[in-house]
Amino acid sequence: MKTQLETIKQKALAALAEAKESAELESLRVKYLGKKGELTAVLKQMGKLSAEERPVIGQLANDVRELLTAEIEAQKAKLEEIKLEARLRDEAVDVTIPGREKKLGHQHPMYIALEEIKEIFVGMGFTILDGPEVELAYYNFDRLNAEEGHPSRDWSDTFYFDEDSRVMLRSQTSPMQVHAMETKPLPIRILAPGRVYRKDEVDATHSPMFHQVEGMVIDKNITMADLKGTLTAVMEQLYGEGTKTRFRPHHFPFTEPSCEMDVQCHKCGGVGCPTCKGEGWIEILGAGMIHPKVLEMSGIDSEEYSGWAFGMGLERMAMRRFKISDLRLIFENDVRFLEQF
């Protein structure tokens, strides 16, 4: 058995010296020192030895076990040191190399314009509201006095989710007027920006998905003069004193009287160009005095209270603010364009 133990010791030491990975060391430990290992197999034969031989062989076996255990630990420490040196070498940092500049992003031009608009209206006492983009036709049309048969409810103009034309992508931010009237105490001053969806063809000033900013005031003794004065003041704060605007009569089912507000084309200065389609003016928003029927449907006494509302196209506001000639540039995510802002 002495010969067997000596053979096991020599084979194990040679194998341990060749091991390159921790997994190999563990495998060798199990092979030689495990419960079913070679050393254990030899010790199981101790019963065949005489009483004089057992202590001698037992001591020799313990010496072999201790030697191999110590060698395994030493080899493990050596391998870990080699790995650490390799890692330090691979991950070494040359502190003399110039650092890489981290490029910071910035706000999209459309959202720069939105923040400016919000700041102006908050300064006037308005509250910012957010609402759902998936809306019920009941709020998008019915409660805004656009009854069945109104052209804006047609499938050619609106994105519906069901055949009954009840659930839709909102075509305007105007439903926020109704939500505000249902939940806010009087008087009300709200501003509600958000995405809206219509089946428009893409061109220099149109997109099937765009952003609107809805504004509404309801209080006692509110008149059309308040509407015109507020919107004129807003445009001058956005675009500078003396900004040329105009109000044109229009019709919306939820306002009476109604109007549209235009700003002189920033591209041609009112002469006429492709951006303004030769008119010299760009439509910015639709507005008007809230229809008494809309107030009454929300439980507001139209004899005591009146109000005005508007919905402005945020992209067109940004176009005028930054003198952008084509609305499509806002959505195309061309870095060469966005880096200008």
Side-chain angles (χ1 to χ4, degrees):
M1 294 185 71
K2 285 184 180 180
T3 305
Q4 286 181 290
L5 290 172
E6 186 64 28
T7 302
I8 290 172
K9 182 178 75 171
Q10 297 301 326
K11 287 172 58 180
L13 290 174
L16 290 172
E18 295 293 327
K20 302 298 182 184
E21 299 289 341
S22 298
E24 291 183 55
L25 289 178
E26 178 62 18
S27 178
L28 291 171
R29 185 194 68 78
V30 172
K31 178 180 179 181
Y32 291 106
L33 304 180
K35 291 183 178 181
K36 297 182 181 181
E38 294 184 16
L39 184 59
T40 304
V42 171
L43 293 176
K44 287 180 179 179
Q45 301 176 29
M46 293 280 286
K48 300 178 181 180
L49 300 176
S50 64
E52 294 80 10
E53 291 178 312
R54 286 175 190 170
V56 177
I57 298 301
Q59 184 61 47
L60 181 60
N62 285 336
D63 291 344
V64 172
R65 180 183 295 277
E66 290 176 4
L67 176 64
L68 295 183
T69 301
E71 185 64 24
I72 289 172
E73 292 301 320
Q75 192 69 8
K76 183 183 294 184
K78 182 179 178 181
L79 290 177
E80 289 177 354
E81 185 177 352
I82 292 173
K83 283 186 177 179
L84 178 59
E85 290 178 356
R87 181 179 175 184
L88 291 174
R89 184 174 60 253
D90 293 340
E91 297 180 3
V93 177
D94 185 351
V95 295
T96 65
I97 297 176
R100 294 179 181 177
E101 181 182 358
K102 289 189 176 180
K103 198 169 184 179
L104 298 178
H106 56 81
Q107 276 191 306
H108 191 282
M110 186 177 66
Y111 286 100
I112 295 175
L114 176 60
E115 289 303 315
E116 292 178 354
I117 293 167
K118 288 164 66 174
E119 185 176 350
I120 292 170
F121 278 97
V122 168
M124 292 178 171
F126 283 67
T127 300
I128 308 298
L129 291 187
D130 188 24
E133 294 178 21
V134 176
E135 186 62 271
L136 296 175
Y138 174 70
Y139 284 104
N140 197 88
F141 295 123
D142 295 335
R143 290 288 296 275
L144 293 168
N145 202 33
E147 300 176 349
E148 292 288 345
H150 192 278
S152 64
R153 302 185 69 143
D154 194 85
W155 277 77
S156 62
D157 291 331
T158 303
F159 295 99
Y160 289 102
F161 285 96
D162 60 343
E163 294 183 359
D164 296 330
S165 304
R166 291 181 301 177
V167 183
M168 57 180 288
L169 289 173
R170 65 181 180 185
S171 61
Q172 53 195 354
T173 46
S174 300
M176 289 307 299
Q177 295 181 31
V178 182
H179 291 304
M181 285 188 277
E182 286 185 340
T183 59
K184 297 287 182 183
L186 295 169
I188 299 173
R189 286 174 176 80
I190 61 103
L191 191 77
R195 294 186 186 89
V196 298
Y197 305 85
R198 297 180 189 175
K199 292 183 179 179
D200 287 338
E201 295 296 328
V202 177
D203 61 25
T205 56
H206 293 84
S207 169
M209 186 283 292
F210 57 102
H211 297 75
Q212 277 189 344
V213 180
E214 191 79 15
M216 181 179 72
V217 171
I218 299 177
D219 204 345
K220 296 179 180 179
N221 303 315
I222 297 296
T223 68
M224 192 74 173
D226 299 311
L227 166 64
K228 295 179 69 175
T230 300
L231 293 180
T232 299
V234 169
M235 295 307 157
E236 289 199 340
Q237 288 192 57
L238 279 173
Y239 304 134
E241 190 175 350
T243 297
K244 292 184 179 180
T245 61
R246 71 178 185 183
F247 289 86
R248 294 179 287 104
H250 199 67
H251 168 72
F252 298 109
F254 40 88
T255 54
E256 180 59 39
S258 304
C259 65
E260 286 189 336
M261 184 180 188
D262 301 333
V263 175
Q264 191 175 78
C265 179
H266 56 275
K267 187 70 175 178
C268 64
V271 177
C273 68
T275 298
C276 61
K277 298 182 179 178
E279 296 181 2
W281 298 86
I282 295 178
E283 176 192 333
I284 293 293
L285 57 84
M289 300 301 294
I290 300 174
H291 199 293
K293 188 175 180 180
V294 174
L295 295 174
E296 296 290 346
M297 281 192 286
S298 294
I300 297 174
D301 186 352
S302 61
E303 295 294 329
E304 184 176 4
Y305 288 93
S306 58
W308 53 258
F310 70 85
M312 65 172 64
L314 181 56
E315 285 82 1
R316 295 188 184 185
M317 300 294 287
M319 288 175 68
R320 179 65 174 78
R321 170 68 175 78
F322 296 107
K323 295 180 171 54
I324 299 170
S325 61
D326 195 319
L327 178 142
R328 288 166 288 194
L329 291 170
I330 293 176
F331 297 114
E332 288 175 348
N333 293 324
D334 189 327
V335 175
R336 295 169 299 177
F337 167 74
L338 296 176
E339 284 182 341
Q340 299 177 52
F341 306 95

